[in-house]
């Protein structure tokens, strides 16, 4: 509810969203948790939750919430990326979540890529993660030829991983 009130337009999944399993977070996103936690007027997230390296279709709680990436932000959804209009200018936003999610939280049946991926990833593991993110960035830019700003919302648990990604990615501005 606080994020809705702040006007958040998109958010990336971190590890703590999954601390109580996928049903708890899926219910918060969809609004199904309304009476349980936040009162009858809570309608879920007014924005999409993003991660390009999670396979939402593999988890029964997330599959109904998944929409195709690269669209305008949609409430109550999960996806890989979104395109936000800021005064007529398109801004691409891509999400990425730590591939160590399975060992540090409770991500249910979500597919997590790349695998393996250690807490101190190898160069090959970093390259594999960057390739997943780069494919989403490239798809956004190909579908939106006038777009020249792309933001990566990443939750990698370590700044050094995010710094390593920054050197491996092209056409990511922030």
């Amino acid at each position: 509810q606080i994020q809705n009130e702040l006007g958040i337009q998109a958010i990336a999944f971190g590890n703590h969203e999954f601390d109580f399993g996928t049903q708890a977070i899926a219910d918060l996103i969809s609004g199904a948790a309304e009476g349980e936690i936040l009162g009858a007027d809570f309608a879920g997230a007014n924005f999409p939750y993003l991660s390009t390296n999670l396979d939402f279709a593999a988890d029964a709680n997330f599959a109904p919430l998944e929409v195709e990436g690269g669209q305008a932000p949609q409430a109550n959804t999960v996806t890989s990326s979104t395109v936000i209009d800021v005064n007529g200018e398109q801004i691409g936003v891509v999400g990425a979540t730590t591939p160590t999610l399975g060992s540090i939280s409770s991500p249910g049946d979500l597919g997590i890529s790349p695998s393996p991926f250690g807490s101190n990833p190898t160069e090959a593991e970093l390259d594999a993660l960057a390739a997943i993110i780069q494919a989403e960035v490239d798809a956004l830019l190909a579908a939106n030829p006038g777009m020249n700003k792309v933001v990566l919302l990443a939750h990698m648990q370590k700044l050094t991983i995010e710094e390593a990604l920054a050197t491996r990615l092209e056409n990511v501005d922030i």
Side-chain angles (χ1 to χ4, degrees):
Q1 186 64 35
I2 291 170
Q3 293 162 334
N4 288 345
E5 297 291 330
L6 289 172
I8 300 294
Q9 294 176 303
I11 195 167
F13 278 108
N15 57 294
H16 288 297
E17 281 85 353
F18 299 98
D19 285 350
F20 298 104
T22 60
Q23 182 169 0
I25 185 62
D27 285 352
L28 285 169
I29 293 168
S30 71
E34 63 181 279
E36 301 170 26
I37 300 171
L38 300 169
D41 62 339
F42 181 67
N46 290 342
F47 50 85
Y49 271 78
L50 309 176
S51 187
T52 194
N53 65 311
L54 297 181
D55 179 2
F56 300 113
D59 186 89
N61 295 307
F62 278 105
L65 305 179
E66 186 176 20
V67 298
E68 186 177 343
Q71 300 181 63
Q74 297 178 48
N76 312 110
T77 62
V78 295
T79 191
S80 53
S81 64
T82 191
V83 177
I84 298 172
D85 182 286
V86 178
N87 300 322
E89 185 172 5
Q90 294 181 320
I91 310 293
V93 183
V94 175
T97 305
T98 179
T100 63
L101 186 64
S103 63
I104 62 174
S105 198
S106 302
D109 293 326
L110 287 173
I112 305 167
S113 295
S115 181
F117 193 92
S119 58
N120 292 307
T122 65
E123 295 295 313
E125 290 169 340
L126 290 166
D127 289 345
L129 177 58
I132 293 166
I133 296 166
Q134 189 67 58
E136 188 70 20
V137 169
D138 293 347
L140 274 177
L141 293 171
N144 301 281
M147 180 184 291
N148 67 1
K149 292 179 181 63
V150 176
V151 175
L152 172 63
L153 302 179
H155 185 98
M156 293 294 140
Q157 291 298 106
K158 290 185 174 181
L159 183 58
T160 55
I161 295 172
E162 294 182 18
E163 290 171 336
L165 287 173
T167 66
R168 288 167 164 79
L169 297 171
E170 295 179 2
N171 299 313
V172 174
D173 299 289
I174 299 174

